[in-house]
Amino acid sequence: MTLSRRTVLKGSAAALATGFTLNGRAPAIAQAANRTLKFIPHANLSSIDPIGTTGYVVRNHGYMVYDTLYSFDSQFKPKPQMAEGHEVSTDGKTYTIRLREGLKFHDGEPVRSRDVVASLKRWAARDGFGQTVMALTDEMPVIDDRTFQFRLKEPFPLLIEALGKPSSPVPFIMPERIAQTDPATPIKEAIGSGPFRFLANEWVPGSRAAYARFEGYVPRNEPIDGHAGGKVVHLDRVEWVIIPDPATATAALQRGEVDWYEQPQGDLLPVLEQSRDITITSFDPIGTVVLLRFNHLHPPFDNPKVRQAVLAAASQNDYMTAMVGNPKLFRECKSFFPCGTPMSTGAGGEAMIANLDKAKAMLRDSGYKGEKVVIISPTDLAYLHTLGLVTEDLLKRLGMNVELVATDWGTVLARRASQEAPDKGGWNIFHTTAVGVEFMSPTSHLALRGHGRAAWPGWPTNPTIEKLRQDSLKSGSLDEQRAIAAQMEREAFTAAPYVPIGQYQLPTAMRRNITGLIAASAPFVWNIRKA
């Protein structure tokens, strides 16, 4: 009896479909599919330099390729990662850090102390916390290939916390030859020592990016714990599939063409929930904070009493219901440090009364003269535009003269950088979000700085908050830091540098055969298995 080629192919296809195995093994095609993860990131990977931009998609790419000296565990404590450990001199001014043995870069070169020093200097040039570190550092001598030092001008108990900073820009370690690139110039190679190699020849911006397991990576011999612990990889390959259209991305996940959709759009979640093959969860235990930012340079919000009136009028529940919808995915958080993090005290939070009548009286007493309030709002980011619409309605009911400028996100970013008056291309209010870990420390909380025109857009001047920030840099215990954080929060609820709007969990959707998701502030793929 003879078999036609078509019959053989049909039989092979049937074997794959039914899970047929040979000698107890799945066919090679099935094995390869089970070792490849197809992932839809929340945005296009247009850059590969995680120091040159604070964009989260580039940060996530960085975590694939690079490693860090220290990482935060689930209790927000920095733990050694590339570092074997460190010693501190009795005067607290010298930190000696030793690298783990056997670390190597994707190009085969060993990781040396000089690579680390060059990487940290490049990171510090772009990061606020890093700039603080370098301002307090006399020198960073290389002792040997695995050992280097921080020699400080004065004790700095938060140095290790800075080196474990988990969000953008992260102090990733790269080869010295790449790290010596000017911090303002994007790097052209993505060579790290992390668990995955970037496949540069497969990168097509706007379409795809790919990563292969780095066989030379040796994870720490510790359980995974937040950002810390052993990064054990069970996949051979990860493909980022760029699908900008939410409906198309949703359909691809439904059909099993991709395995994981990082940030499905809220109004499409009910569609995904109907599938028994898809699970919807969240990987970030802290979540994302939402805020309404004032421009402190120009009327009317150069007047703290006007800012206080808006803070008193704002209802976090109204904002979060409009933006997120599902009450299971958000929480009210009347705190300037994210709820669920060590520094969040809520001191002074009673100022957020969500009482429109009381707020109207406060506005009348503030001396507000009917100045126009220009709200800049991006129509291409629906969740932020929703916040703009809520604020427009709130301020009109409060009795303010309001103009909503609806435009694209790029224009919002350009306009919010302007310190000109609102009628000359400036602004009065914008809304934004930030991953909670970025706001959890008094030393690195960008939106709580009070150093005037050098501060983050909004440019508040607040010597009290700046003094408390300096005090926090010298605090040696968690209790001291919490006491300082409580003082900062009380001052912030009085000065109102911005209005905290709430905290929410970004939903993520994946096929049910994907397991091992890590609770962390980024979508990590180590520990992930695909059945």
Side-chain angles (χ1 to χ4, degrees):
M1 183 175 67
T2 60
L3 295 175
S4 70
R5 180 174 179 272
R6 179 176 295 177
T7 302
V8 171
L9 289 175
K10 284 184 178 179
S12 299
L16 287 175
T18 58
F20 174 74
T21 62
L22 296 173
N23 298 324
R25 295 183 180 179
I29 295 175
Q31 290 184 57
N34 287 344
R35 304 280 291 185
T36 297
L37 182 82
K38 294 189 176 184
F39 172 78
I40 304 176
H42 70 275
N44 172 42
L45 182 68
S46 58
S47 168
I48 57 171
D49 188 355
I51 305 303
T53 177
T54 58
Y56 291 152
V57 69
V58 186
R59 176 206 62 182
N60 297 348
H61 153 83
Y63 271 118
M64 297 284 289
V65 175
Y66 304 98
D67 216 343
T68 55
L69 283 176
Y70 292 84
S71 295
F72 276 70
D73 66 13
S74 58
Q75 301 303 309
F76 313 109
K77 296 179 181 177
K79 296 293 181 66
Q81 188 55 246
M82 294 175 72
E84 186 176 85
H86 64 273
E87 295 179 354
V88 185
S89 62
T90 53
D91 64 1
K93 294 168 63 175
T94 300
Y95 282 69
T96 302
I97 300 176
R98 188 161 175 80
L99 298 175
R100 283 199 288 142
E101 191 172 4
L103 297 176
K104 67 172 72 172
F105 288 115
H106 301 157
D107 60 5
E109 289 293 313
V111 178
R112 300 180 176 94
S113 296
R114 65 174 185 259
D115 301 305
V116 176
V117 171
S119 296
L120 293 179
K121 287 180 178 179
R122 187 170 191 267
W123 160 74
R126 302 285 295 188
D127 181 74
F129 209 168
Q131 290 165 11
T132 299
V133 169
M134 291 305 168
L136 295 172
T137 300
D138 262 334
E139 56 179 338
M140 293 173 63
V142 170
I143 307 304
D144 58 41
D145 280 352
R146 289 178 54 206
T147 311
F148 72 101
Q149 290 181 332
F150 276 92
R151 295 179 184 171
L152 306 172
K153 299 173 183 177
E154 60 185 68
F156 180 38
L158 300 181
L159 174 63
I160 301 303
E161 179 179 314
L163 300 180
K165 180 178 180 285
S167 200
S168 300
V170 178
F172 291 124
I173 305 304
M174 53 188 66
E176 180 186 37
R177 63 180 177 84
I178 299 176
Q180 288 177 334
T181 303
D182 186 296
T185 302
I187 61 174
K188 295 180 171 58
E189 286 183 274
I191 303 292
S193 64
F196 289 90
R197 294 182 296 109
F198 180 61
L199 303 178
N201 62 326
E202 296 190 36
W203 179 36
V204 181
S207 178
R208 60 178 304 197
Y211 306 82
R213 177 182 180 179
F214 178 39
E215 298 295 341
Y217 183 78
V218 180
R220 296 187 68 87
N221 188 24
E222 301 165 357
I224 196 71
D225 185 11
H227 289 235
K231 299 179 180 179
V232 179
V233 175
H234 304 294
L235 302 165
D236 291 332
R237 179 179 170 89
V238 178
E239 297 176 5
W240 283 18
V241 185
I242 314 301
I243 306 179
D245 179 64
T248 305
T250 298
L253 183 65
Q254 287 177 301
R255 292 192 296 263
E257 295 169 359
V258 297
D259 304 297
W260 186 359
Y261 183 8
E262 182 187 359
Q263 288 183 19
Q265 191 165 294
D267 59 358
L268 293 174
L269 288 178
V271 176
L272 294 173
E273 288 170 345
Q274 293 176 7
S275 174
R276 289 179 291 182
D277 297 323
I278 294 171
T279 182
I280 298 173
T281 183
S282 176
F283 51 80
D284 186 352
I286 302 173
T288 298
V289 296
V290 188
L291 60 97
L292 179 161
R293 182 69 161 181
F294 298 114
N295 187 333
H296 294 240
L297 300 181
H298 302 287
F301 299 120
D302 58 340
N303 181 347
K305 292 184 178 180
V306 179
R307 301 195 300 269
Q308 290 165 5
V310 176
L311 186 141
S315 164
Q316 291 191 341
N317 186 68
D318 287 352
Y319 275 102
M320 299 309 293
T321 299
M323 176 184 176
V324 181
N326 188 342
K328 295 179 181 179
L329 295 175
F330 71 81
R331 65 189 294 184
E332 293 190 31
C333 180
K334 298 177 181 179
S335 172
F336 280 86
F337 297 103
C339 292
T341 63
M343 298 299 110
S344 182
T345 69
E350 60 274 7
M352 293 199 72
I353 56 177
N355 187 318
L356 188 62
D357 290 336
K358 179 70 179 293
K360 285 181 177 179
M362 293 172 66
L363 185 64
R364 285 194 299 270
D365 294 341
S366 72
Y368 172 64
K369 300 176 183 178
E371 299 97 335
K372 182 181 290 185
V373 175
V374 176
I375 304 169
I376 50 176
S377 182
T379 53
D380 52 344
L381 293 178
Y383 65 102
L384 291 183
H385 187 49
T386 296
L387 298 176
L389 294 172
V390 173
T391 296
E392 178 189 29
D393 175 68
L394 175 68
L395 298 191
K396 285 181 176 179
R397 288 188 290 121
L398 191 56
M400 303 189 82
N401 178 13
V402 184
E403 178 186 357
L404 181 74
V405 177
T407 183
D408 62 278
W409 178 235
T411 302
V412 167
L413 288 177
R415 187 163 179 173
R416 84 176 193 184
S418 172
Q419 296 186 356
E420 294 290 338
D423 62 351
K424 296 181 179 179
W427 55 278
N428 293 112
I429 284 176
F430 72 84
H431 304 82
T432 194
T433 64
V435 173
V437 293
E438 293 191 355
F439 283 7
M440 72 178 188
S441 169
T443 56
S444 60
H445 194 320
L446 195 65
L448 267 189
R449 294 298 307 272
H451 54 307
R453 289 182 181 268
W456 188 55
W459 310 289
T461 297
N462 192 307
T464 300
I465 282 182
E466 285 298 291
K467 171 63 167 58
L468 290 169
R469 180 178 180 274
Q470 289 300 318
D471 291 344
S472 72
L473 293 175
K474 302 174 185 178
S475 58
S477 71
L478 180 60
D479 288 342
E480 288 178 3
Q481 292 174 32
R482 280 183 58 83
I484 293 170
Q487 294 179 64
M488 290 182 78
E489 290 203 300
R490 288 193 188 93
E491 175 63 20
F493 274 113
T494 299
Y498 66 87
V499 177
I501 287 178
Q503 203 164 312
Y504 72 101
Q505 302 293 129
L506 279 170
T508 196
M510 53 180 53
R511 305 287 297 180
R512 288 194 181 274
N513 62 332
I514 306 300
T515 58
L517 183 63
I518 300 166
S521 63
F524 297 150
V525 297
W526 49 86
N527 204 55
I528 292 285
R529 293 180 186 271
K530 182 179 176 183

